[in-house]
Amino acid sequence: MIEDSIIQLEENIPLTDADLKHIQTQEEGIKSVLPAILGGCTLFIMVFITFLIWDHFVNFRYYEYILFVGAGFAMYGFCYFFALLVMRYDSANWKKDKAQGKNKLTSVVINRDKTEHAEYLTFAGPAKNDKIRIRVKPEDYSRYPVGAKLTVTYLKFSKEALELVER
């Protein structure tokens, strides 16, 4: 049983310049490599398709080569368009974080989850049977076991840990 007196939650703490820089760095990280990744994947797929239709490919007329290259550009554009939509959605979520600020929770780790994309620590919430699941860095995930008493500062909307301090 976890004592309710050790669980404290401070809400709507304004973001500092360092927090805003962290958010901006994460946004720009994927934007800088996206065209190269999509270009490489498109090129790989086009080479694979060329390999599969090689018998017919050598008999193409000049306009069929142009159509084939045009199909590659269309595929690149389609994937790039959807990647931009996903980044815009992600950016809107970060803007919600900017507007809502961050929270500071002093609590106990009650569970650890590891998915293929991220590691999470679950903390006891301020209400009875309330749980708060927060994404943490891999080194923090391996450092803190279940039962550790921590103070975690996290973004309110995305629930990503900014700082973990052991109590």
Side-chain angles (χ1 to χ4, degrees), residues 74-93:
M75 184 171 49
Y76 176 83
F78 179 77
C79 292
Y80 191 74
F81 173 73
F82 274 98
L84 288 177
L85 287 178
V86 168
M87 286 190 307
R88 183 170 290 163
Y89 175 76
D90 191 41
S91 179
N93 285 342

Side-chain angles (χ1 to χ4, degrees), residues 1-5 7 110 123-132:
M1 183 79 184
I2 300 170
E3 296 177 29
D4 292 336
S5 63
I7 300 172
I110 58 173
F123 295 88
K128 187 176 182 176
N129 296 328
D130 190 18
K131 298 174 184 175
I132 301 173

